[in-house]
Amino acid sequence: MPHFPEEILEQIFSYITHCRDRNALSLVSKTWYDLDRRTRHSVFIGNCYALAPERSIKRFPNWVVGLARDCPDLRELRLKRMLVSDPTLLLISGSFPNFRSLALIGCHGFSADGLSAITAKCRFLEHLDLQESEAGNDSGQWLSSFPESFTSLISLNFGSLRGAVNLDDLMSLVARCPNLKNLRVNKAVPLLTLPQILLRAPQLVELGIEPRAHHVDPGSHTRLYEAIRKCKSIQSLSLSGALHIALSCQFHISAIFPKLISLDIISVMEGRILGFINLLTHCHKLQRLRV
Amino acid sequence: MASAPENEKNASAPEKKTLTLKSMINNEEFVVDEHVALQSVTIKNMVDSDCAGDVIPVPTISGEILALVIEYCKNHANPSASEDDLKKADAGIVAKDIYTLIDLVLAANFLDIKGLLEVTSQKIADSIKDLPHQDVREIFGVENDYTPEEEAAVRAEHDWAFEGFP
C-alpha cells in the first residue's frame, strides 16, 4: 500500500483510547507518533526526571503550552511529583474546552489561586485529585470557585491540602453533583459537619476523612457512622489513623464494614491491635487493606 | 365544494431510478437503486453535477468490497430499519479480516460514506490495538523510518515517563 490517507488514520486513532495501546502504535513510524501526539485525550507524566528535557520538549513542548497547541482535545492530565505553577494551571483551565480530569499527585509549586482557575473555568470537570499535593496561599477559595451551575463532579480529593474550607460551599457543591462517587476531604472539615455532607451524597462509593482531633465526643462518631451507613453504596473507607473512632462505634461499624471492599487505616496504634483484628472480622468482602 | 382538479396527476409510483456501479478492478457491475447509491457523497456530487453516466466507474475498489459497501448503503437506506437492526447489520459487515477492513475503509473514504468510515475505523482500531507494532507496520504497509536509536528513545519514554495510566 503506497499511501494510506492520514485522515483515515486519524479516525482510527480516535478510537484508540488506552495510553498503553497508543504508546505501542506510536512505535510504528514517525507519522504514527505524530498522529498519536495530535489526537491524544490524556497524558500521564509519571516521572518527569526520567525524561531528557529535550525529549519532553520535542514530544510535549514546554509542557502545557505545547499540549495546548498540539492536543486541543485533551481531556485528562495526570502529573506526578512535579513542579506545577499557577500560570500552568491557568493555561490548562483555558486551553482545553473538553477538559474532564486533573490529577496532581505529590505536586507542588502552585497556589489555591491556580486551582481556582481550574474550578472556575473547567465547566465539565469530573475528577480533581490532589492527593499528596500542597497548595500555597490556601484559604479554600478554589473550592468556592466552582460555578453555581457546575454539577459534573465524580471525584474530589483534597485530603492533603492544609487550607480552610467554606463548609457551606462544600455542602452546596456536594448537593448539586449527583454523580459524586469519591470524596476525600481534608482536616479543615470537622467530624461534626461530615454527617451533613454525607446526607447530601447518599450515592457516595468512596469516602476519605482526615480527623483532626483525637478526642471528640463519642456522640459525633456515632452520628458519623450512622451517616456513612446511610450511604448504601459505600465500598471504600479511608480513616487516616482514626481507628479509635471506628473502634468506639462497634455497633454502627458492624453495619458498614461488611460492605467494604477497601479499607485504609494508615496507622494502628499499639494497644488497639486486638480491637482492629476484631473489626476486620466484620469485613467479609474486603479486597484491599492499607495499614 | 370545489371539484377535483381537471389534470389528473400521475398517481402511479414513479419508476425507480437505478444506477450501475462498476468496479474498475475486476469490471464487476452492480445495479443499485439511486437513493441507495446516493448515500455516497462522492456519487451524489457526481449525479448532482450531471457527471454521472449510466454506468459509474469506481476505480481502485474491487467487486468484493463494492458489494459490502452496497450492502451497507442498502441497510441504511431502509427507513424501517431500527437502530438495533442497523447496529447488528454493521457488525456483520465489518466482521472481516484486517486486510478486507483496510480495503473497506479506503472505499468508504473514497466514496465519502461517513457512517461506514466510522464503523470500519472502530473495528480496525479494535483489531490493531493489541498487535505488535511490527505487524501493524506490515498491515498498513508503513515503512519504519525510526533509526534504532530513535525507536529506543521513544520506547524509553514509555517505560519511564508516560507509562502506567489507563
Side-chain angles (χ1 to χ4, degrees):
Chain A
M1 199 178 314
H3 171 67
F4 200 90
E6 242 176 65
E7 67 265 25
I8 305 183
L9 282 179
E10 241 175 64
Q11 178 98 39
I12 293 171
F13 256 85
S14 74
Y15 293 111
I16 293 174
T17 49
H18 202 291
C19 271
R20 199 191 51 219
D21 298 331
R22 283 184 160 259
N23 283 347
L25 291 180
S26 65
L27 283 167
V28 167
S29 77
K30 289 179 183 171
T31 308
W32 284 53
Y33 177 95
D34 223 41
L35 272 168
D36 163 47
R37 183 173 64 68
R38 287 210 306 268
T39 56
R40 250 192 215 234
H41 285 169
S42 64
V43 172
F44 169 61
I45 298 172
N47 183 352
C48 64
Y49 305 111
L51 204 62
E54 63 271 22
R55 293 293 303 175
S56 98
I57 286 167
K58 253 189 192 157
R59 187 155 188 175
F60 302 113
N62 234 349
W63 282 128
V64 179
V65 181
L67 284 175
R69 194 187 54 218
D70 295 336
C71 307
D73 203 23
L74 193 80
R75 290 164 199 210
E76 202 163 349
L77 193 59
R78 280 169 75 95
L79 304 174
K80 204 167 168 183
R81 288 187 286 278
M82 305 260 319
L83 189 70
V84 178
S85 66
D86 280 349
T88 301
L89 293 179
L90 200 64
L91 196 57
I92 292 173
S93 73
S95 301
F96 311 113
N98 292 315
F99 201 65
R100 298 276 197 279
S101 168
L102 177 66
L104 302 174
I105 303 162
C107 294
H108 58 106
F110 59 92
S111 79
D113 295 331
L115 283 182
S116 295
I118 299 286
T119 55
K121 291 209 300 213
C122 298
R123 292 182 297 143
F124 305 113
L125 197 70
E126 292 174 352
H127 305 276
L128 181 60
D129 184 355
L130 305 170
Q131 59 171 296
E132 295 167 41
S133 288
E134 282 170 34
N137 186 29
D138 183 7
S139 50
Q141 65 272 41
W142 63 272
L143 185 77
S144 304
S145 298
F146 281 108
E148 277 301 317
S149 58
F150 175 85
T151 58
S152 56
L153 212 56
I154 295 174
S155 71
L156 175 65
N157 176 354
F158 60 99
S160 62
L161 296 196
R162 295 191 184 149
V165 165
N166 181 320
L167 295 171
D168 287 335
D169 288 342
L170 177 59
M171 264 187 258
S172 150
L173 176 69
V174 166
R176 66 182 191 265
C177 293
N179 296 322
L180 189 70
K181 295 280 185 295
N182 181 350
L183 178 66
R184 193 174 181 124
V185 299
N186 70 355
K187 285 190 169 67
V189 179
L191 223 50
L192 275 168
T193 319
L194 277 165
Q196 297 174 52
I197 294 171
L198 294 179
L199 200 67
R200 289 162 171 79
Q203 75 283 3
L204 219 56
V205 176
E206 295 184 34
L207 173 69
I209 58 173
E210 303 274 342
R212 191 203 292 267
H214 278 259
H215 301 288
V216 192
D217 79 283
S220 63
H221 301 166
T222 310
R223 278 193 293 280
L224 171 61
Y225 280 92
E226 181 58 24
I228 296 177
R229 196 171 64 81
K230 284 184 181 148
C231 297
K232 300 278 186 225
S233 316
I234 201 89
Q235 286 184 352
S236 167
L237 209 48
S238 175
L239 298 173
S240 301
L243 183 64
H244 59 288
I245 299 179
L247 293 180
S248 68
C249 324
Q250 286 287 357
F251 171 72
H252 291 288
I253 60 174
S254 60
I256 299 165
F257 280 52
K259 292 192 284 188
L260 292 186
I261 289 173
S262 166
L263 177 63
D264 210 333
I265 298 282
I266 306 289
S267 68
V268 180
M269 278 182 290
E270 230 178 300
R272 304 224 182 245
I273 305 277
L274 271 179
F276 175 62
I277 292 170
N278 181 30
L279 182 148
L280 284 185
T281 58
H282 291 290
C283 303
H284 309 303
K285 286 190 186 165
L286 204 64
Q287 293 176 4
R288 177 178 172 276
L289 173 68
R290 253 184 85 190
V291 181
Chain B
M1 293 301 278
S3 61
E6 306 264 309
N7 294 337
E8 196 185 297
K9 275 187 184 153
N10 186 2
S12 66
E15 210 179 300
K16 259 193 181 171
K17 242 189 129 180
T18 60
L19 293 170
T20 302
L21 307 182
K22 181 176 181 183
S23 157
M24 298 310 283
I25 289 197
N26 46 9
N27 295 322
E28 235 177 295
E29 289 189 358
F30 298 84
V31 180
V32 188
D33 286 344
E34 192 183 40
H35 75 286
V36 169
L38 290 190
Q39 297 204 45
S40 154
V41 176
T42 308
I43 292 177
K44 185 173 185 306
N45 287 343
M46 287 170 78
V47 171
D48 286 353
S49 56
D50 274 336
C51 295
D54 292 343
V55 176
I56 298 179
V58 185
T60 71
I61 300 177
S62 71
E64 178 205 0
I65 297 299
L66 203 49
L68 287 175
V69 173
I70 291 166
E71 187 187 336
Y72 176 91
C73 290
K74 269 187 189 158
N75 294 339
H76 285 256
N78 175 4
S80 61
S82 74
E83 206 148 294
D84 239 29
D85 295 340
L86 288 176
K87 243 187 192 164
K88 271 186 208 146
D90 288 354
I93 289 175
V94 298
K96 300 286 178 317
D97 67 273
I98 185 77
Y99 293 99
T100 307
L101 289 174
I102 285 179
D103 287 341
L104 187 58
V105 85
L106 287 167
N109 189 52
F110 174 79
L111 292 171
D112 203 347
I113 306 169
K114 189 164 175 280
L116 182 60
L117 183 64
E118 284 169 0
V119 292
T120 317
S121 295
Q122 165 88 66
K123 180 74 179 180
I124 292 176
D126 293 344
S127 316
I128 64 170
K129 68 185 172 62
D130 294 321
L131 292 179
H133 62 276
Q134 295 89 341
D135 291 5
V136 178
R137 266 180 209 147
E138 200 190 304
I139 289 164
F140 285 85
V142 179
E143 207 176 312
N144 177 17
D145 53 2
Y146 282 121
T147 65
E149 292 78 22
E150 285 169 339
E151 192 174 326
V154 174
R155 208 183 279 272
E157 277 175 23
H158 298 161
D159 286 350
W160 295 101
F162 300 109
E163 188 66 1
F165 181 54

